[in-house]
Amino acid sequence: GESVGLHLPTLSVQEGDNSIINCAYSNSASDYFIWYKQESGKGPQFIIDIRSNMDKRQGQRVTVLLNKTVKHLSLQIAATQPGDSAVYFCAESYDKLIFGAGTRLAVHP
Amino acid sequence: DGGITQSPKYLFRKEGQNVTLSCEQNLNHDAMYWYRQDPGQGLRLIYYSQIVNDFQKGDIAEGYSVSREKKESFPLTVTSAQKNPTAFYLCASNPAGQERADEQYFGPGTRLTVT
C-alpha cells in the first residue's frame, strides 16, 4: 500500500541515469530469484527472474546479476524513467518464497 | 481481461470485529495465496491453497481463516484474535499449484485499518 515504502532505504536517481538496486538473500540453497516492482497502492508486478545456474539475465532495460558466493542479487535499470519510481524487492525460493523488504526508487526529472 | 481482483481497496473496522477480504481470479489458476505487507517488511505468507477445498497455514496464520469453496475465490477472514490486523493484504495466484512459484500474479491489495 501507500505506506509500505516509508520505512525503506531510498535510491534517488536522475532521469536517464542507470539505477542499481541491491538485495542480500539469506538461504544459500535458494535456487530461484525474482525481482518485483510495486507502485504506490498497487500489488507487486513481476519484472525478471533468474535461476541459480546463471549469473546474469537481461530483459528489456533491466538486468539481474546473481553472486552466489556472497548471496547477493542486483537489479540494474538502464535509462531510468519517472515511471520506474516504485518500491523494488527481491524474492528467493528454495521450498518456498521469501520476500525482501525492498528499496524505494525515486526518479527525479 | 484476466487477472486477480481484490475488494474493497480500503477497509475500516472497529477492534473486535471480524472482517472478510475478497479475492477472485479468472486465470484458472489452481494455487492461491494470501500475504500481509507491513511497512519496512517483506511479504509474509498467511495462508495458501493449492486446490479447491484444501488450504494450508503459512508463516503467520494465527488470527486468520480462509475458505476455498470455488477455484476462482479465496476469501480471507481477519478475526478479532489477530492482534495487529492493520496492514496491506495481498492476494496472489499461480498456475503451478505449489507454494514455490515461478511467477506469482498479485492482486491490487486491500488496505485494512482497524481502530
Side-chain angles (χ1 to χ4, degrees), chain A residues 58-71:
Chain A
Q58 288 184 292
Q60 189 175 13
R61 265 199 324 118
V62 295
T63 301
V64 55
L65 298 177
L66 175 62
N67 185 332
K68 295 183 286 294
T69 303
V70 294
K71 294 191 287 186

Side-chain angles (χ1 to χ4, degrees), chain B residues 44-66:
Chain B
R44 291 183 289 167
L45 182 64
I46 304 172
Y47 266 99
Y48 64 101
S49 168
Q50 296 178 354
I51 198 168
V52 174
N53 292 323
D54 186 51
F55 47 83
Q56 307 295 329
K57 291 182 180 179
D59 299 319
I60 54 164
E62 185 176 350
Y64 299 98
S65 66
V66 293

Side-chain angles (χ1 to χ4, degrees), chain A:
Chain A
E2 291 86 348
S3 66
V4 296
L6 290 179
H7 301 271
L8 299 175
T10 298
L11 174 66
S12 292
V13 300
Q14 291 293 123
E15 182 178 356
D17 286 351
N18 297 336
S19 302
I20 300 176
I21 300 169
N22 296 306
C23 175
Y25 63 91
S26 57
N27 187 353
S28 56
S30 291
D31 57 0
Y32 180 68
F33 306 88
I34 311 168
W35 277 103
Y36 292 93
K37 173 185 180 183
Q38 186 175 20
E39 296 177 70
S40 181
K42 297 183 179 179
Q45 293 174 276
F46 171 90
I47 302 174
I48 192 168
D49 59 0
I50 188 168
R51 302 234 172 239
S52 59
N53 60 352
M54 304 171 70
D55 53 22
K56 180 179 179 178
R57 188 165 188 225
Q58 288 184 292
Q60 189 175 13
R61 265 199 324 118
V62 295
T63 301
V64 55
L65 298 177
L66 175 62
N67 185 332
K68 295 183 286 294
T69 303
V70 294
K71 294 191 287 186
H72 183 267
L73 198 63
S74 69
L75 177 71
Q76 300 178 0
I77 304 173
T80 314
Q81 303 166 0
D84 295 327
S85 294
V87 171
Y88 291 81
F89 58 88
C90 66
E92 60 180 296
S93 178
Y94 176 55
D95 58 349
K96 64 177 182 179
L97 277 172
I98 298 173
F99 295 87
T103 296
R104 191 166 70 91
L105 177 65
V107 182
H108 303 285

